[in-house]
């Protein structure tokens, strides 16, 4: 399928006449077209199509259809039907009233082209470029970011279902690739156990019997892998995706003990970042945040928050569920820099704000990263006795530290933390510390004979000290209320676009879904701005409204304007 680019089309006169008559007050699609004009051109997507072949439907129009699809929460069939039947869609797409549109499968094919070229960001960028041209996007002021969990499109499985379905999936793949060979090596019981879905059968309730079933599945899978990797197996079977997935799953969950297949001990399994959770979405990972457990991904939304203009999403980043917020600030800032959307102030929650990220944001992008720092967790800070790190005097030029009682450190060495970040290890002499009357309060271990400190790099240490002091002021706490508005953005994306449930399988497709979600929310907010629709206020119950002004509700989040 090829594509012959065409310039922005004028809206046919008859389409304009009928649309104005049918929508005298306008609609979102009509208002956005009138205000922003054609959002996408065919030339932007020319690289996604070959030079020869059957002409493709206009990719510029398809990109707009994808965004409108997410604005209204439509399926592919419904979106294709809307292009054929709805006048406001024809107006926004500049189509003749008699235009037959396209088959719904074209949307899936176009998404695949966007994913292959990693072009999902182009859709969000097109909305932002049009908004900037019309003066609806201000980026030099403040921005705010938060993340939320995203459930995988694949159903959550218990352990027995997971390994049974992994084996069944591999058997189905081999049945297509080498049916005669599989009939020869298959055990008679395999057809009884793995011919249907695991959810269609009942696993035993007794623990001992469930262990026995797990051992049987592990043994059957091991036999299949031995047959596939034997010299007599047909060529190419071991490279099949589901076979490789079976091998990875079995390495993670089973091992041989005395010639028998046994389930691995939990401590012997890989960390969550590598552990598979379903055979039908190999990139999904299991994670936990406070009391929320999920299998899937995590997405980070960044938006502007300046008065007088709509709050527009300027960056969307999607990762697997195990990537912590603390490493995402740099990625988010790089994405904002590529779009020329860097703010002066970036407001985040505790997960993002670390000394390393604060210093890097200021050094690399000139951004003031604001977010509550995590509390000090060393023993001296917890029990209130002894000396915290702030009580020590640091001489960065001479590379030594002086304790409150006048002793000077004897060792200063560059090391790496558990997160592989550069730190400085400082040690005092045991001879100095033994005769100190405050030794037992100064060190955390009852057997320790000297104090040790772990310092950050100089610029990070200064940023940490400066930020901790700033965050104690009432002025900063009052300004920090602006961050709470991003919670409303996530709520809108969840309610309107289904943000917390992936429509597709795989990180790339889920990431495209979130780029389209960001573009859809931006269109909806631009439309709300044009119609002067007031922003939703934080809901307060009648009883909560009676709360005295100087009293806080435990566990409640302090909400700000969104």
């Amino acid at each position: 399928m090829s594509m012959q680019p065409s310039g922005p089309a004028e809206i046919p006169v008859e389409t304009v006449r009928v649309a104005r008559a049918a929508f005298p007050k306008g609609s979102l699609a009509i208002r956005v077209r009138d205000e922003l004009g054609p959002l996408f051109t065919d030339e932007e997507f020319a690289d996604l199509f070959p030079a020869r072949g059957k002409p493709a439907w206009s990719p510029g129009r398809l990109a707009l259809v994808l965004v409108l699809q997410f604005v209204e929460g439509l399926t592919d069939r419904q979106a294709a039907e809307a292009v054929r039947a709805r006048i406001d869609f024809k107006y926004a797409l500049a189509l003749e009233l008699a235009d037959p549109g396209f088959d719904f499968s074209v949307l899936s094919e176009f998404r695949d082209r966007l994913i292959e070229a990693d072009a999902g960001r182009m859709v969000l960028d097109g909305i932002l470029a049009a908004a900037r041209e019309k003066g609806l996007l201000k980026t030099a002021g403040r921005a705010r970011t938060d993340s939320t969990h995203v459930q995988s499109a694949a159903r959550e499985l218990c352990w027995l279902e997971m390994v049974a379905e992994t084996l069944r999936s591999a058997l189905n793949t081999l049945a297509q690739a080498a049916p005669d060979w599989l009939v020869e090596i298959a055990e008679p019981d395999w057809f009884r156990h793995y011919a249907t879905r695991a959810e269609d059968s009942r696993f035993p309730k007794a623990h001992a019997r469930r262990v026995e079933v797990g051992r049987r599945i592990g043994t059957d899978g091991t036999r299949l892998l031995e047959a596939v990797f034997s010299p007599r197996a047909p060529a190419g079977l071991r490279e099949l995706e589901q076979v490789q997935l079976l091998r990875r799953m079995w390495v993670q969950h089973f091992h041989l003990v005395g010639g028998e297949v046994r389930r691995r001990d939990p401590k012997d399994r890989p960390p969550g970042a590598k552990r598979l959770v379903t055979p039908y979405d190999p990139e999904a990972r299991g994670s936990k945040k406070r009391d929320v457990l999920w299998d899937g991904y995590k997405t980070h939304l960044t938006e502007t928050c300046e008065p007088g203009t709509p709050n527009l999403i300027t960056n969307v980043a999607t990762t697997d569920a195990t990537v912590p917020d603390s490493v995402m600030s740099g990625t988010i800032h790089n994405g904002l820099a590529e779009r020329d959307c860097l703010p002066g102030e970036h407001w985040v929650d505790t997960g993002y704000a670390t000394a390393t990220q604060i210093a890097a944001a200021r050094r690399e992008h000139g951004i003031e990263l604001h977010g509550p720092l995590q509390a000090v967790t060393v023993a001296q800070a917890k029990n209130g006795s002894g000396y915290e790190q702030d009580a020590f005097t640091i001489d960065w030029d001479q590379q030594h530290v002086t304790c409150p009682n006048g002793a000077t450190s004897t060792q200063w060495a560059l090391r790496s933390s558990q997160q592989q970040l550069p730190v400085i290890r400082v040690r005092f002499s045991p001879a100095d510390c033994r005769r100190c009357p405050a030794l037992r309060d100064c060190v955390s271990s009852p057997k320790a004979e000297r104090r040790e400190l772990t310092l950050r790099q100089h610029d990070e240490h200064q940023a940490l000290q400066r930020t901790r002091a700033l965050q104690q002021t009432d002025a900063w706490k009052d300004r920090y209320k602006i961050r709470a508005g991003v919670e409303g953005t996530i709520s809108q994306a969840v309610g309107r676009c289904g943000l917390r449930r992936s429509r597709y399988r795989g990180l790339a497709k889920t990431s495209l879904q979130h780029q389209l979600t960001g573009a859809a929310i931006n269109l909806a907010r631009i439309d709300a701005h044009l119609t002067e629709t007031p922003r939703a206020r934080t809901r307060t119950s009648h009883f909560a409204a009676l709360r005295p002004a100087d009293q806080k509700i435990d566990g409640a989040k302090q909400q700000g304007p969104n």
Side-chain angles (χ1 to χ4, degrees):
M1 185 171 287
S2 65
M3 192 269 291
Q4 290 78 40
S6 59
E10 293 292 331
I11 306 175
V13 175
E14 186 65 8
T15 302
V16 174
R17 185 185 70 80
V18 175
R20 297 299 184 196
F23 294 91
K25 295 183 179 180
S27 70
L28 182 147
I30 293 174
R31 284 189 292 268
V32 166
R33 173 71 190 216
D34 289 342
E35 180 67 19
L36 303 181
L39 292 172
F40 309 101
T41 63
D42 291 347
E43 287 81 0
E44 296 176 67
F45 304 95
D47 294 340
L48 306 184
F49 295 84
R52 297 181 179 180
K54 181 181 178 181
W57 214 74
S58 167
R61 288 184 171 124
L62 284 176
L64 180 56
V65 172
L66 287 178
V67 178
L68 292 175
Q69 175 187 10
F70 274 73
V71 169
E72 301 199 9
L74 305 177
T75 65
D76 286 356
R77 289 179 183 271
Q78 291 170 334
E81 186 69 24
V83 173
R84 282 193 296 271
R86 285 180 51 173
I87 298 172
D88 58 335
F89 269 52
K90 290 184 181 294
Y91 184 98
L93 298 169
L95 295 175
E96 297 283 353
L97 292 178
D99 193 292
F102 52 83
D103 185 78
F104 73 93
S105 62
V106 172
L107 289 175
S108 176
E109 295 172 359
F110 184 59
R111 284 196 300 269
D112 289 341
R113 293 182 185 275
L114 291 175
I115 292 168
E116 290 175 5
D118 194 20
R121 288 186 52 180
M122 294 172 57
V123 180
L124 178 59
D125 290 348
I127 305 291
L128 294 175
R132 190 193 301 273
E133 185 177 345
K134 296 296 182 177
L136 299 174
L137 176 63
K138 294 181 180 180
T139 58
R142 298 172 297 180
R144 54 195 178 196
T145 295
D146 202 4
S147 66
T148 189
H149 62 279
V150 180
Q151 294 278 357
S152 169
R155 185 175 67 87
E156 186 176 351
L157 303 173
C158 71
W159 181 77
L160 285 177
E161 287 179 319
M162 179 178 63
V163 292
E165 281 297 293
T166 303
L167 178 53
R168 191 180 73 87
S169 178
L171 287 170
N172 282 330
T173 301
L174 291 170
Q176 291 180 298
D180 296 336
W181 172 83
L182 183 58
V183 169
E184 291 181 5
I185 64 100
E187 299 286 341
D189 286 347
W190 291 6
F191 296 97
R192 179 162 57 91
H193 293 306
Y194 311 115
T196 59
R197 292 181 175 221
E199 64 187 36
D200 294 335
S201 60
R202 294 183 178 179
F203 294 111
K205 294 183 178 180
H207 176 71
R209 294 190 62 190
R210 292 175 71 89
V211 170
E212 183 180 345
V213 170
R215 189 173 301 164
R216 184 255 297 164
I217 296 172
T219 302
D220 292 344
T222 301
R223 289 175 181 171
L224 180 60
L225 288 171
E226 290 174 349
V228 169
F229 283 84
S230 70
R232 293 175 294 177
L237 293 187
R238 64 185 65 180
E239 280 77 32
L240 294 174
E241 180 182 358
Q242 294 302 319
V243 172
Q244 288 294 324
L245 191 63
L246 175 67
R247 185 185 64 82
R248 289 173 57 193
M249 188 74 77
W250 254 238
V251 169
Q252 292 182 6
H253 291 276
F254 297 102
H255 62 159
L256 289 175
V257 178
E260 294 184 2
V261 178
R262 299 287 181 86
R263 186 182 181 185
R264 287 186 183 274
D265 186 87
K267 295 182 179 180
D268 194 28
R269 297 170 199 162
K274 297 181 179 180
R275 193 181 308 154
L276 300 171
V277 294
T278 174
Y280 301 115
D281 194 352
E283 294 178 297
R285 294 292 181 268
S287 189
K288 177 181 180 181
K289 185 174 183 179
R290 291 187 288 274
D291 58 344
V292 178
L293 291 90
W294 79 99
D295 293 338
Y297 306 94
K298 184 189 290 187
T299 188
H300 306 258
L301 302 182
T302 302
E303 67 173 2
T304 60
C305 47
E306 289 300 301
T309 57
N311 296 336
L312 300 183
I313 296 174
T314 52
N315 192 77
V316 180
T318 305
T319 67
D320 73 62
T322 61
V323 177
D325 295 348
S326 59
V327 302
M328 287 302 297
S329 294
T331 301
I332 293 170
H333 292 158
N334 291 337
L336 292 171
E338 292 174 5
R339 290 188 168 103
D340 193 23
C341 291
L342 284 174
E345 297 178 356
H346 190 187
W347 296 87
V348 295
D349 67 7
T350 306
Y352 296 91
T354 66
T356 302
Q357 299 291 353
I358 291 172
R362 183 182 296 112
R363 180 178 63 251
E364 298 174 9
H365 300 288
I367 297 175
E368 292 298 324
L369 183 64
H370 293 283
L373 293 171
Q374 293 184 353
V376 180
T377 57
V378 296
Q380 291 79 9
K382 290 181 179 180
N383 56 32
S385 62
Y387 303 118
E388 299 181 30
Q389 192 176 103
D390 292 345
F392 292 77
T393 303
I394 305 173
D395 189 330
W396 296 97
D397 296 328
Q398 300 299 321
Q399 295 188 347
H400 65 70
V401 177
T402 303
C403 83
N405 290 328
T408 303
S409 62
T410 56
Q411 296 183 30
W412 176 292
L414 297 177
R415 295 289 185 267
S416 295
S417 66
Q418 294 180 348
Q419 293 77 29
Q420 301 305 309
L421 298 175
V423 295
I424 300 170
R425 303 288 190 198
V426 176
R427 292 181 175 180
F428 288 83
S429 170
D432 293 333
C433 291
R434 284 195 201 103
R435 58 174 178 260
C436 178
L439 173 63
R440 295 277 64 90
D441 292 331
C442 189
V443 298
S444 57
S445 173
K447 297 182 179 180
E449 296 183 349
R450 61 179 173 184
R451 180 66 185 266
E452 298 182 8
L453 299 176
T454 300
L455 306 178
R456 300 179 182 273
Q457 297 294 310
H458 190 192
D459 60 338
E460 295 181 12
H461 182 84
Q462 287 184 319
L464 185 64
Q465 299 301 106
R466 182 169 55 249
T467 302
R468 287 197 187 280
L470 178 65
Q471 292 179 3
Q472 299 304 314
T473 63
D474 292 336
W476 186 91
K477 294 176 182 178
D478 187 63
R479 293 179 64 205
Y480 183 69
K481 294 178 182 178
I482 190 67
R483 191 216 66 87
V486 74
E487 304 281 358
T489 299
I490 292 177
S491 177
Q492 184 181 13
V494 171
R496 187 159 198 162
C497 304
L499 180 69
R500 287 204 179 109
R501 168 66 70 174
S502 178
R503 290 189 175 196
Y504 319 107
R505 296 178 182 179
L507 179 59
K509 291 184 177 181
T510 302
S511 179
L512 174 61
Q513 172 187 337
H514 296 157
Q515 297 290 340
L516 295 175
T517 296
I521 295 299
N522 284 348
L523 275 194
R525 290 187 167 185
I526 290 172
D527 180 65
H529 178 76
L530 296 176
T531 57
E532 298 182 350
T533 302
R535 296 174 182 173
R537 298 179 62 85
T538 301
R539 288 175 290 187
T540 304
S541 68
H542 298 294
F543 178 70
L546 301 177
R547 173 173 58 96
D550 59 346
Q551 193 178 70
K552 293 183 178 180
I553 300 177
D554 292 340
K557 288 187 176 180
Q558 207 170 21
Q559 298 294 321
N562 60 0

